[in-house]
Amino acid sequence: MTFQLRVYVPPHPLIKHWLGVARSETTPTPLFRSAMTELGRWLTYEAAREWLPIMETTVQTPLTECPATFVNPEVPVVVVPILRAGLALLEGAQSVLPLASVYHLGLVRDEKTLEPSCYLNRLPAQFKEQTRILISEPMLATGGSIMAAMAELTSRGADPSLIRIISIVAAPPALQKLSIAYPALNIYTATIDEVVNEHGFIVPGLGDAGDRTFGTE
């Protein structure tokens, strides 16, 4: 079977609204955090469509028995926020996936070489078969961090076809790398910006998502 990377930009008006709030340089930190939470919520909602494992059964209504569909609790669902900025989307993602396990992965980028290094890895030694994994990474810019994260996940048995990535802004360099290495992936992003500058920032982007979320510089 031949796979091709799929990138979804949902046309939901709430996603567009909160993206505008997040982009504005005049947005204060508390409101920026709210925007990131809302974007995490709605992007996760979109990513969960036809992805969450389901089971068919029946229930008894007050009047009669009828068919019912539930999320299958026996199939693991995992959220992996890429620290720091991925934490900004976590609350929103958890509101959609409240029973998901959360495994933290900390990556920091060298500002000169733009190469990532790992400072925290709480991933399990091995993921169970059929595990659904949602990665929260607000900015897919040069692709260094997300490629490092994917390498860690797949080395532990994660199936790329069952992985969903949510991001706020994605750019061609990261998408091209993912397309070549992991064509079975599905990505849900609020927008795609075409330019990554010499400092590794997406333009127009929204600045440093981690600093803006946590009020640091």
Side-chain angles (χ1 to χ4, degrees), residues 104-109 115-122 148 152:
H104 298 87
L105 183 63
L107 299 171
V108 63
R109 186 172 70 174
E115 292 298 316
S117 59
C118 181
Y119 64 88
L120 178 70
N121 188 334
R122 295 297 186 186
E152 290 292 340

Side-chain angles (χ1 to χ4, degrees), residues 59-205:
V59 296
Q60 181 70 42
T61 78
L63 299 177
T64 187
E65 187 177 83
C66 74
T69 301
F70 293 98
V71 175
N72 189 341
E74 295 183 2
V75 178
V77 177
V78 166
V79 179
V80 178
I82 308 301
L83 308 186
R84 286 186 306 166
L87 291 174
L89 303 176
L90 180 59
E91 181 180 349
Q94 286 184 301
S95 71
V96 179
L97 306 173
L99 299 182
S101 300
V102 178
Y103 295 101
H104 298 87
L105 183 63
L107 299 171
V108 63
R109 186 172 70 174
D110 186 291
E111 295 304 323
K112 293 183 178 180
T113 67
L114 302 183
E115 292 298 316
S117 59
C118 181
Y119 64 88
L120 178 70
N121 188 334
R122 295 297 186 186
L123 299 177
Q126 187 74 20
F127 287 102
K128 294 180 179 179
E129 188 176 356
Q130 294 299 310
T131 297
R132 270 61 168 176
I133 300 175
L134 182 84
I135 302 174
S136 65
E137 171 64 300
M139 312 299 287
L140 299 177
T142 63
S145 294
I146 194 62
M147 289 292 288
M150 284 298 302
E152 290 292 340
L153 290 167
T154 54
S155 71
R156 290 162 168 76
D159 180 351
S161 70
L162 299 179
I163 295 175
R164 299 290 185 268
I165 299 172
I166 58 168
S167 74
I168 308 307
V169 186
L175 297 179
Q176 289 166 2
K177 290 177 182 177
L178 290 169
S179 179
I180 293 170
Y182 306 103
L185 273 175
N186 288 263
I187 299 171
Y188 292 78
T189 182
T191 191
I192 299 174
D193 288 349
E194 294 297 324
V195 177
V196 176
N197 67 20
E198 66 274 16
H199 302 295
F201 282 94
I202 301 174
V203 179

